Amino acid sequence: MKKLLMASLAIFVVSFATAQTEEEIKAEMGPKKDSIAAIQKRVDALQAKLDALPGWKIGAFGTIGGSISEFNNWFAQGIPNNSSGNIGFTVNAFANLQKEKFFWRNAANVNLSWVKLDDKDDPTDNDSFREATDVFNISSLYGRKLSEKFAISALAEYRTTILSNFNDPGYLDLGVGATWTPIPDLVVVMHPLNYNFVFSSEDTIFESSMGAKIVADYTKQIGAISFKSNLSMFQSYKSGDLSNWTWTNSFSYTLWKMIGVGFDFGLRNNKQETLNYIVNNAPTPDPDATFDTIDNELQTYWTLGLSYKF
């Protein structure tokens, strides 16, 4: 009995000592966490000063996503024997030059993906990878500074697809106006003099026109988080049917070194593309469709997968 009491007392003393030690460790950790946060704030402030220095700033980040699967005799679904897969990636790259009296900002956005579905019970089906998402956008903005936040600027922006129908349609915007940079990470372009060149073999639907160009781009990195949001709008002076806008967003969270988790999504509104699809490419084409008879549905895409940055 004496030995049992001594053992119980020893266990209690050890447990109490451990609890005391744990509380002491937690008490010591508190000030250190505050110190880490203060150090990080100072590092972020120094990074902001570094980013504001004249010269070239070059970088890139993106997302890679993919999966493969195979089913055999999985009778709960419509195609019980199949193999499928999808793969896609996005790239957001920039090369920006900052000088005392001018700036030159260059950017590229590429989003490509492929999918396949092979029905093993149908020897006539298409079992190869086919393009699913196809986005290609490059832009170059030059500005002559009037002040730290305003500049007279010129913009060239080109958008098309590259996996299929390259430059059919393709869009080239050339314009001049003003650029506003209220904060270092936000650039707002306002060009009332802009010509939207449209390249297409379907000249009865696609048409070039003069209009206003508005671009808003926000790119930011906070610790392990990187994100970029870009809105590009063209408002035709000739007809609202010739106007369009595209909004793309990319997010990445770094988990280890340059690897992390990324998410991309985009929205697009373009009535000329919608009409072209209904007239020429829909499962049941309608050659009599017009701008007045169609519903201009919103175009969307998203990609989730591993992310990377350079």
Side-chain angles (χ1 to χ4, degrees):
M1 186 65 180
K2 184 178 180 180
K3 291 182 177 180
L4 180 62
L5 289 174
M6 291 297 293
S8 300
L9 180 61
I11 292 172
F12 175 77
V13 170
V14 171
S15 300
F16 180 76
T18 302
Q20 288 289 98
T21 302
E22 182 178 349
E23 291 300 323
E24 291 174 357
I25 292 174
K26 288 182 178 180
E28 292 179 10
M29 285 175 62
K32 289 180 172 57
K33 286 183 177 180
D34 293 338
S35 299
I36 292 172
I39 292 172
Q40 185 62 52
K41 287 183 179 179
R42 292 197 293 270
V43 170
D44 292 341
L46 291 173
Q47 184 64 50
K49 291 182 179 179
L50 182 62
D51 293 339
L53 291 176
W56 282 101
K57 300 293 188 298
I58 300 173
F61 71 96
T63 302
I64 299 176
S67 69
I68 57 174
S69 63
E70 182 167 342
F71 291 86
N72 293 298
N73 301 324
W74 199 265
F75 298 116
Q77 61 189 17
I79 305 177
N81 300 292
N82 76 78
S83 62
S84 63
N86 69 79
I87 185 171
F89 69 90
T90 64
V91 177
N92 294 282
F94 65 88
N96 300 331
L97 175 62
Q98 189 72 240
K99 291 292 186 179
E100 181 181 354
K101 295 183 178 180
F102 71 92
F103 60 81
W104 185 23
R105 304 176 63 91
N106 303 277
N109 171 255
V110 182
N111 188 318
L112 306 175
S113 69
W114 298 261
V115 298
K116 70 168 290 185
L117 175 62
D118 178 18
D119 183 353
K120 297 178 181 179
D121 298 323
D122 182 4
T124 64
D125 74 334
N126 187 347
D127 60 356
S128 61
F129 276 92
R130 292 170 288 174
E131 61 270 10
T133 305
D134 194 354
V135 177
F136 179 79
N137 189 328
I138 57 174
S139 64
S140 182
L141 174 68
Y142 176 84
R144 196 75 181 177
K145 295 181 181 179
L146 300 178
S147 67
E148 284 301 313
K149 295 184 178 182
F150 286 95
I152 299 299
S153 56
L155 172 70
E157 182 184 64
Y158 178 67
R159 307 181 308 280
T160 186
T161 55
I162 57 178
L163 296 180
S164 63
N165 303 323
F166 176 72
N167 204 41
D168 189 13
Y171 305 89
L172 175 62
D173 281 292
L174 297 176
V176 295
T179 293
W180 177 44
T181 53
I183 56 177
D185 305 305
L186 177 63
V187 178
V188 181
V189 179
M190 300 161 287
H191 286 180
L193 296 177
N194 183 91
Y195 199 83
N196 179 236
F197 295 91
V198 183
F199 310 101
S200 174
S201 59
E202 184 57 82
D203 55 6
T204 61
I205 296 176
F206 292 96
E207 184 179 350
S208 304
S209 64
M210 178 70 75
K213 183 74 173 181
I214 297 176
V215 177
D217 185 277
Y218 185 74
T219 305
K220 184 70 174 180
Q221 179 171 337
I222 305 175
I225 301 174
S226 299
F227 56 92
K228 177 183 178 66
S229 182
N230 181 276
L231 175 64
S232 179
M233 304 176 63
F234 171 73
Q235 180 62 50
S236 174
Y237 293 147
K238 184 175 183 178
S239 170
D241 295 333
L242 307 180
S243 302
N244 62 76
W245 59 266
T246 303
W247 183 31
T248 58
N249 300 270
S250 299
F251 303 86
S252 71
Y253 181 79
T254 303
L255 299 173
W256 178 75
K257 293 186 177 180
M258 298 297 182
I259 306 300
V261 177
F263 177 67
D264 294 78
F265 74 91
L267 307 175
R268 183 170 174 79
N269 185 288
N270 190 311
K271 204 167 186 179
Q272 295 178 92
E273 292 178 350
T274 302
L275 179 59
N276 181 61
Y277 174 78
I278 293 174
V279 171
N280 298 306
N281 302 316
T284 55
D286 181 6
D288 298 322
T290 66
F291 285 118
D292 297 326
T293 62
I294 65 171
D295 293 326
N296 188 21
E297 297 183 3
L298 184 66
Q299 305 174 41
T300 67
Y301 73 81
W302 63 269
T303 303
L304 176 65
L306 294 176
S307 67
Y308 59 90
K309 68 176 182 179
F310 301 99

